Amino acid sequence: MSFSSMNIGRTGVGFAHHWLDTIAHNIANANTVAPGGEEPFRALQLVARPLGGGPFASTGSGVHVAQQVRDGGDPARTYDPDHPLADEQGTVTQPVVDLGSQMVDMMIAQRAYQANLRTVESAKEAYQAALRLGGSQ
Amino acid sequence: MWDVTTSAALRALDGLAMRGTLRANNIANSETPNFRASTNNFETSLRDALRRRDPAGAAAPDVVATPSIVDARGNSVDMETELIGSMKDGLHRDAMITSFNYKVGQLRVAMGGRR
């Protein structure tokens, strides 16, 4: 008996953990203003890819982060000439972070983390059950 | 030494273990774009083999797509299906182990052994 289910669950927990870290980084920078002329902070998004056999394969062995993508939306510019980081026109470049979608993603990531932990727990129960094979009832 | 019941229970445990691996992979990839959830149909091959009274000769179960709706990202993992299915598989597994252990207990009695 291999421990493949447990290892697959571990990759899922790892991915969800990484996702939660990324969301925390995005939310923490939701008020990070870029100095005039500099590129604003853009929210990071993770792209998941299957490990092993790929989609619809019996040899699939979990998930991993294939790449990190920056949000490509246009940054909001607000007029605030008193701001220390305002440019010559008195505008401030706001970060590209959609707090609403970050909060929704955080809930999904949290649920994904819990579901993958449940997978690890199920695998543990299966291995413990296998140890009862041949034993007295 | 094993009769039809014990062989069938062992084959079912193999099928359930494989299904558990597929479920784990589905849950891990619940956020992967274009991922299609899969399961196996070990019951079909085991049922056919039991009709021939040869559970040990059951064909290797096929991996098939889970019949569920594909979302906008091309992902067909349905978390409720997977988690509830996992619970059902656990009960199924315990039933198979109980059945197997019952047969082993009978063998012990037949051999005059003690528990």
Side-chain angles (χ1 to χ4, degrees):
Chain A
M1 177 178 271
S2 72
F3 288 91
S4 53
S5 295
M6 211 170 258
N7 289 331
I8 290 170
R10 185 191 55 75
T11 67
V13 170
F15 176 80
H17 195 163
H18 196 142
W19 195 11
L20 282 166
D21 284 348
T22 305
I23 292 166
H25 177 67
N26 293 339
I27 293 175
N29 282 287
N31 293 309
T32 301
V33 171
E38 281 192 21
E39 182 64 12
F41 175 82
R42 292 176 182 277
L44 270 173
Q45 290 174 341
L46 302 186
V47 179
R49 285 276 181 279
L51 271 173
F56 195 51
S58 57
T59 52
S61 53
V63 67
H64 76 295
V65 180
Q67 55 177 319
Q68 294 183 321
V69 182
R70 294 268 177 197
D71 193 326
D74 290 329
R77 294 182 194 281
T78 51
Y79 183 68
D80 186 1
D82 296 332
H83 197 286
L85 297 178
D87 59 14
E88 294 83 31
Q89 288 80 39
T91 57
V92 175
T93 308
Q94 299 295 332
V96 185
V97 179
D98 179 0
L99 268 182
S101 64
Q102 293 298 322
M103 294 303 286
V104 171
D105 280 357
M106 187 167 68
M107 287 164 63
I108 298 171
Q110 195 181 1
R111 296 288 182 264
Y113 190 92
Q114 289 168 339
N116 281 288
L117 267 187
R118 182 63 228 160
T119 299
V120 175
E121 194 69 26
S122 293
K124 191 184 90 179
E125 286 167 14
Y127 300 133
Q128 283 175 335
L131 293 176
R132 298 201 307 269
L133 271 173
S136 57
Q137 293 175 66
Chain B
M1 183 164 91
W2 302 127
D3 63 2
V4 172
T5 313
T6 44
S7 296
L10 290 173
R11 292 299 298 203
L13 285 171
D14 284 343
L16 286 167
M18 181 185 173
R19 184 175 286 170
T21 306
L22 293 169
R23 280 199 201 288
N25 197 39
N26 292 342
I27 292 172
N29 283 286
S30 63
E31 295 301 321
T32 303
N34 301 318
F35 181 85
R36 301 300 168 91
S38 56
T39 186
N40 68 6
N41 61 355
F42 78 90
E43 289 95 340
T44 308
S45 56
L46 186 55
R47 188 173 58 233
D48 293 344
L50 280 171
R51 284 201 186 110
R52 302 192 304 271
R53 298 193 64 73
D54 176 27
D62 292 329
V63 177
V64 294
T66 303
S68 53
I69 296 166
V70 178
D71 68 13
R73 301 162 305 160
N75 187 301
S76 70
V77 177
D78 180 9
M79 205 59 104
E80 287 78 18
T81 302
E82 300 299 340
L83 292 176
I84 292 170
S86 176
M87 273 191 269
K88 283 162 72 176
D89 290 348
L91 291 170
H92 198 163
R93 179 195 65 223
D94 287 348
M96 292 300 108
I97 288 175
T98 302
S99 162
F100 180 83
N101 287 352
Y102 179 74
K103 283 288 179 183
V104 171
Q106 282 184 321
L107 265 177
R108 279 207 188 98
V109 170
M111 289 189 292
R114 284 183 165 272
R115 284 190 169 196

